[in-house]
Amino acid sequence: MPPNKTKERAFKDPNSTKSKLSAPIAPPEPFKLPPPSLEQFLPELSKKHVYITHIDVKTWEFKRKIFMVPLAMNILIILALLWRARSIGPYYMKICFSITGKVNEMTLDTRRMTSSDIAREILRRASKFMADLLLYIFVWPWPRDFFAGRVIGNPIAWRFGVGFRDKEIIVRRSRKWINQLGNVFDDNSPGTQLLYSNIRQAVDPIWMNEKTGYLMLNKEWDLDWKSMVLATKLVDQRKMALDDFKTTVLVYNEEFGWMASGVVVPQGSVAEEEGRRKIIAFKDELTAMGKENLFFKWIELVQFESSKPGAFGSAEQEKTTAKAKAMFEAQGVDFDQFWAKIGGMQGMPGMDRI
């Protein structure tokens, strides 16, 4: 994803011969240099892809139930393919022997057959071969990648390496759409807009809460099983902290190296950008505390209060804040301390007059 020459000149000092030896220059917003704690993890990532890390806080029992479904499905597929191979194997072997001159019941005596019979037999054999070929091309890769995938690892190796935990590190990797990206600093390019769109959908708090990490596989994002095992090992060995993998977007650029962003936002007002950032920080902090349910209770409370007849002005917002404070403290969360930690309530959608 190299930047174009125009952008590249904009970030370099042509009069300085020491720029390469100096400290790295911070990339333009919304990106920033990744924290030093990620230095052990980033070299293992492919520079050709965009990554999203986050912490999956669904219960380990729920994750196990979800995982059992594809596990059972892939075992059944393997059994079905083995049955097919066992039943059709002798058929193909006899055809091969017939070709080599060993006469058997599959050998055709074309001198005594009509043209229509020959054509019918060729079509019958070709249809069987084509059906088995399609099974090999389109069905066999599912269990093969599930049990023995190598490029980004496989789910079985991930589960054997990590097990089932209440807090798991999830690493998503971009699929083929990344080839359309181009210069990530050109907000007007279709590739950058596609990047923004795919990332915003992928880090949407409501969407992420509805799915455990395994269910986030889709046409835009793959799961990097190897990276998830590595990240978990680094945390288990206390070389990194679990919080280092909170919701973060990682993009590589030739000018700045790896860049990080909590949320990548397309064109919009500063207030809109701040609102999105606050929602993500709000949700991530509650998730880290094991109080994710408070995030949704807060959303429901603000939506309910703001939808009442009349304006949702300063007085109404203060009353809503008082109710939220009681709700937080009922679950043992210091309301004032919590908001101070994420930078205050200013900018939160629906609470702009506090």
Side-chain angles (χ1 to χ4, degrees):
M1 298 169 289
N4 61 38
K5 294 182 179 179
T6 302
K7 289 287 182 180
E8 192 173 40
R9 286 196 294 270
F11 297 119
K12 287 184 178 180
D13 181 4
N15 299 318
S16 174
T17 59
K18 300 180 180 180
S19 59
K20 293 184 179 180
L21 301 177
S22 60
I25 303 172
E29 292 294 335
F31 300 101
K32 59 183 179 181
L33 293 177
S37 58
L38 286 176
E39 289 180 357
Q40 303 175 75
F41 176 70
L42 293 177
E44 303 301 323
L45 304 181
S46 170
K47 297 176 181 179
K48 298 179 180 180
H49 290 271
V50 173
Y51 292 84
I52 299 176
T53 66
H54 81 277
I55 301 170
D56 183 0
V57 295
K58 298 291 186 185
T59 63
W60 71 268
E61 295 93 344
F62 178 76
K63 293 167 184 169
R64 184 176 62 180
K65 290 178 182 177
I66 293 296
F67 190 75
M68 289 300 110
V69 175
L71 176 61
M73 182 187 72
N74 280 284
I75 290 175
L76 289 174
I77 290 175
I78 289 177
L79 292 175
L81 291 175
L82 288 174
W83 172 84
R84 177 62 181 172
R86 182 179 179 181
S87 61
I88 200 67
Y91 176 82
Y92 288 128
M93 289 300 296
K94 289 176 182 178
I95 291 179
C96 292
F97 289 150
S98 180
I99 292 174
T100 59
K102 296 181 180 180
V103 179
N104 56 63
E105 62 266 34
M106 299 306 300
T107 303
L108 298 180
D109 187 356
T110 56
R111 292 173 299 178
R112 299 182 179 182
M113 297 175 65
T114 64
S115 298
S116 59
D117 288 339
I118 294 174
R120 191 179 302 109
E121 184 62 23
I122 292 175
L123 181 62
R124 187 174 68 87
R125 295 186 181 189
S127 62
K128 286 185 178 182
F129 176 78
M130 183 58 65
D132 291 324
L133 180 62
L134 292 176
L135 287 175
Y136 177 78
I137 293 175
F138 295 107
V139 179
W140 166 240
W142 297 351
R144 180 197 63 197
D145 293 344
F146 187 86
F147 289 100
R150 291 176 178 269
V151 177
I152 55 175
N154 58 78
I156 290 296
W158 171 54
R159 280 306 177 196
F160 271 109
V162 173
F164 295 93
R165 310 184 183 199
D166 285 329
K167 291 185 178 180
E168 295 179 351
I169 299 168
I170 301 299
V171 181
R172 282 176 282 174
R173 188 175 94 155
S174 57
R175 288 185 180 265
K176 292 182 179 180
W177 60 265
I178 195 65
N179 297 328
Q180 307 173 39
L181 189 55
N183 181 9
V184 297
F185 303 125
D186 183 2
D187 290 340
N188 296 319
S189 72
T192 302
Q193 292 301 313
L194 178 63
L195 170 72
Y196 290 152
S197 174
N198 286 342
I199 289 178
R200 288 181 66 193
Q201 294 175 26
V203 300
D204 178 74
I206 306 297
W207 184 83
M208 289 178 67
N209 181 74
E210 294 174 348
K211 297 181 179 292
T212 186
Y214 191 86
L215 297 179
M216 291 183 177
L217 285 163
N218 55 33
K219 64 180 181 179
E220 285 83 26
W221 300 96
D222 220 332
L223 288 178
D224 194 324
W225 314 104
K226 282 184 178 179
S227 296
M228 292 193 288
V229 173
L230 172 64
T232 305
K233 287 182 177 179
L234 289 172
V235 171
D236 289 345
Q237 295 168 1
R238 298 189 177 182
K239 295 180 179 179
M240 297 184 68
L242 185 66
D243 194 51
D244 292 333
F245 296 96
K246 65 183 180 181
T247 306
T248 304
V249 178
L250 297 169
V251 182
Y252 185 81
N253 176 262
E254 289 188 358
E255 174 71 19
F256 301 102
W258 282 104
M259 305 180 296
S261 177
V263 187
V264 177
V265 185
Q267 298 174 352
S269 69
V270 175
E272 289 174 342
E273 184 174 339
E274 177 65 12
R276 294 187 185 98
R277 188 193 69 78
K278 279 290 178 67
I279 289 176
I280 298 299
F282 178 35
K283 193 253 184 184
D284 285 347
E285 186 62 29
L286 287 174
T287 297
M289 297 170 65
K291 302 287 184 180
E292 192 177 17
N293 63 315
L294 277 175
F295 172 75
F296 297 98
K297 289 183 178 180
W298 162 272
I299 297 295
E300 291 173 0
L301 175 64
V302 173
Q303 288 180 342
F304 175 75
E305 296 293 336
S306 62
S307 62
K308 288 182 177 180
F312 190 56
S314 300
E316 289 75 14
Q317 291 183 19
E318 288 177 2
K319 291 179 181 178
T320 301
T321 301
K323 292 180 181 180
K325 184 175 183 179
M327 182 175 66
F328 271 58
E329 294 181 349
Q331 294 201 31
V333 179
D334 188 306
F335 189 78
D336 297 325
Q337 197 175 66
F338 172 82
W339 283 107
K341 189 172 182 179
I342 66 171
M345 201 179 300
Q346 291 76 15
M348 281 293 289
M351 308 298 289
D352 54 316
R353 299 186 184 180
I354 294 296

